[in-house]
Amino acid sequence: MKPFDIISSSPDAASLTRLLDLCFGPGRHARTAERLREGNRAMADYDFCAQSADGTLLGSISFWPIYIGQSPALLLGPLAVHPEHQGVGIGEHLMQTALAAVDAKRFPIVLLVGDLPYYERVGFAVAPPAVRLPGPVDPARLLVKGGHAECADLAGLVRPAPELC
Ligand SMILES: CC(C)(COP(=O)(O)OP(=O)(O)OC[C@H]1O[C@@H](n2cnc3c(N)ncnc32)[C@H](O)[C@@H]1OP(=O)(O)O)[C@@H](O)C(=O)NCCC(=O)NCCS
């Protein structure tokens, strides 16, 4: 039996804050990706979490509406798995389940800042150099997933798009 369940809902705010502090540390609000969450709202339909049988929060994923230039898209993140439960597939299950739920007609592109070796297994690739974030980011960690045509032509500044929620 799988030691976790993937649930279609967001965790309670206090549990989520504890998990994110554990996974990313106190400096997490200074990250450039955070600029895309300010004044924005997570897409409630695409919030998923992983729980143990007794309801303990083990992991979480969320998505935020953005524009990349003129193209509607989603920012993936944060994706976080409790340090004591990493390496058993929770992160990958969260991503596969959540990405399968995304309406690709509304949001043909998903963008994130993360490590290519981890995310390429679910189809992410380095974004074209013309895609810019509102702050510093290592271009090798700026990743996109979508159809080839959509991704190849991507360009412009990435900004929050709460009106797409
Ligand atoms: C990254 C994270 C979400 C992965 O979750 P997880 O549940 O441990 O991942 P999975 O069990 O699905 O996958 C584990 C595999 O991914 C690999 N992996 C984990 N993090 C990786 C990384 N940053 N780069 C490359 N590979 C990575 C592991 O080595 C393992 O490889 P294996 O399957 O060959 O043994 C989790 O480690 C975490 O929360 N880290 C801290 C927060 C973070 O960095 N989040 C992502 C920021 S964008």
Side-chain angles (χ1 to χ4, degrees):
M1 197 179 76
K2 223 162 17 85
F4 58 88
D5 293 310
I6 304 291
I7 313 284
S8 171
S9 80
S10 55
D12 72 83
S15 302
L16 181 60
T17 299
R18 271 197 304 277
L19 176 71
L20 297 181
D21 284 347
L22 259 179
C23 289
F24 293 98
R28 65 186 169 92
H29 295 292
R31 290 165 173 249
T32 292
E34 199 58 29
R35 305 288 79 76
L36 299 172
R37 291 189 270 264
E38 287 166 356
N40 205 348
R41 278 189 296 156
M43 302 285 300
D45 287 354
Y46 308 149
D47 272 340
F48 287 85
C49 61
Q51 290 183 348
S52 63
D54 68 0
T56 305
L57 178 64
L58 304 180
S60 167
I61 190 170
S62 57
F63 293 80
W64 304 70
I66 53 174
Y67 279 110
I68 305 174
Q70 304 303 315
S71 308
L74 291 173
L75 171 73
L76 186 164
L79 167 67
V81 174
H82 192 289
E84 288 172 13
H85 299 272
Q86 291 176 2
V88 296
I90 295 176
E92 190 162 341
H93 271 84
L94 279 169
M95 276 196 295
Q96 299 278 20
T97 306
L99 288 168
V102 167
D103 178 350
K105 288 206 178 70
R106 275 182 80 197
F107 299 106
I109 309 283
V110 179
L111 174 143
L112 64 83
V113 180
D115 294 329
L116 181 63
Y118 185 66
Y119 290 101
E120 67 184 351
R121 64 179 79 184
V122 291
F124 283 86
V126 174
V131 175
R132 290 175 291 119
L133 287 198
V137 66
D138 176 353
R141 302 188 76 242
L142 185 56
L143 310 180
V144 288
K145 174 181 163 72
H148 177 70
E150 291 99 347
C151 288
D153 291 341
L154 281 177
L157 184 65
V158 183
R159 59 192 166 86
E163 64 273 24
L164 298 179
C165 249

